[in-house]
Amino acid sequence: MDEGALRQELADLGRSLFDRGYSVGTAGNISVRLPDGYLMTPTSSCLGRLDPARISRLGSDWSHLSGDRPSKEVFLHRAVLTARPEAGAVVHLHSTHATAISCLAPEGGDAEVPALTPYFVMRIGRRLPCVPYYRPGDPAMEPAVRAAAQGAKALLLANHGPVVSGATLRDAVHAAEELEEAARLALLLRGVPGLRALTPAQVDDLLEVFG
């Protein structure tokens, strides 16, 4: 896909996420890896009203080359894409249920989101680490995010929201959607007697085929 088409896809997918309430106001940001750099949503932009021509263009060293200034959380995307060279895009949202889980998860530990469906395992994996709280926009979180991303496709920022990577932009968006649904199910079923999650053997089987 050429850069112009990718810019349009980013705007279209951002609008879809916004229209369904996965982000509100100017919350959330998205990045895409290019052969010679990155695309990133601009600072203080609304995912529902992105202008493809004004999306930030960054060089391979993350310097700002053109378009509007990139999100103030550029270091967050740099941390994930550096830790996961196979990833082609990162989606950071403030989606309601995943953010609720980020307020419950132990900082520096793993969130308690059980493998209730195979799709959660297929798109997110076995672990969902929770990075300790940092003020939004604080670059001091970059090492912690990079360390968490080395062993997980998705992570939570404590009391902030989810950060999800994928091989392509669409993959990252689909995984972010799946994480939100898994978080919703986890909260809906928390404490319900007879809850049945996938067994470790079933998770292993899924990861062997789709991991």
Side-chain angles (χ1 to χ4, degrees):
M1 183 181 298
D2 65 34
E3 185 174 325
L6 194 53
R7 285 172 174 272
Q8 186 62 54
E9 182 178 58
L10 199 165
D12 291 343
L13 291 172
R15 184 181 308 111
S16 173
L17 289 168
F18 180 84
D19 288 348
R20 289 176 291 144
Y22 286 82
S23 68
V24 296
T26 59
N29 33 74
I30 300 173
S31 64
V32 183
R33 193 193 301 270
L34 300 173
D36 58 349
Y38 307 89
L39 294 177
M40 181 166 290
T41 51
T43 188
S44 301
S45 61
C46 172
L47 293 187
R49 293 185 288 275
L50 293 172
D51 179 347
R54 297 180 64 179
I55 290 172
S56 304
R57 178 65 152 86
L58 308 179
S60 57
D61 61 352
W62 295 90
S63 60
H64 181 209
L65 300 180
S66 63
D68 290 347
R69 286 191 303 117
S71 167
K72 68 179 182 294
E73 294 182 314
V74 61
F75 57 85
L76 176 64
H77 297 258
R78 181 172 61 206
V80 177
L81 291 171
T82 299
R84 304 192 68 80
E86 75 280 11
V90 173
V91 175
H92 167 46
L93 301 172
H94 295 180
S95 51
T96 302
H97 298 91
T99 301
I101 294 290
S102 82
C103 298
L104 296 168
E107 295 184 77
D110 286 356
E112 295 182 8
V113 178
L116 297 174
T117 71
Y119 308 101
F120 174 74
V121 177
M122 291 157 59
R123 294 201 179 275
I124 303 301
R126 193 188 303 273
R127 296 183 55 236
L128 182 61
C130 183
V131 173
Y133 175 80
Y134 291 85
R135 170 181 47 80
D138 184 355
M141 76 171 71
E142 185 169 356
V145 172
R146 184 184 300 112
Q150 286 174 349
K153 297 177 182 178
L155 56 92
L156 299 176
L157 305 177
N159 300 80
H160 186 157
V163 180
V164 185
S165 65
T168 67
L169 175 56
R170 285 189 177 274
D171 287 339
V173 168
H174 292 161
E177 294 168 335
E178 191 61 48
L179 174 55
E180 175 63 9
E181 182 63 12
R184 188 177 75 87
L185 287 172
L187 291 169
L188 181 67
L189 296 172
R190 177 166 288 192
V192 174
L195 174 64
R196 184 181 64 253
L198 298 178
T199 67
Q202 289 168 333
V203 171
D204 289 344
D205 173 66
L206 287 165
L207 290 175
E208 183 177 346
V209 176
F210 300 102

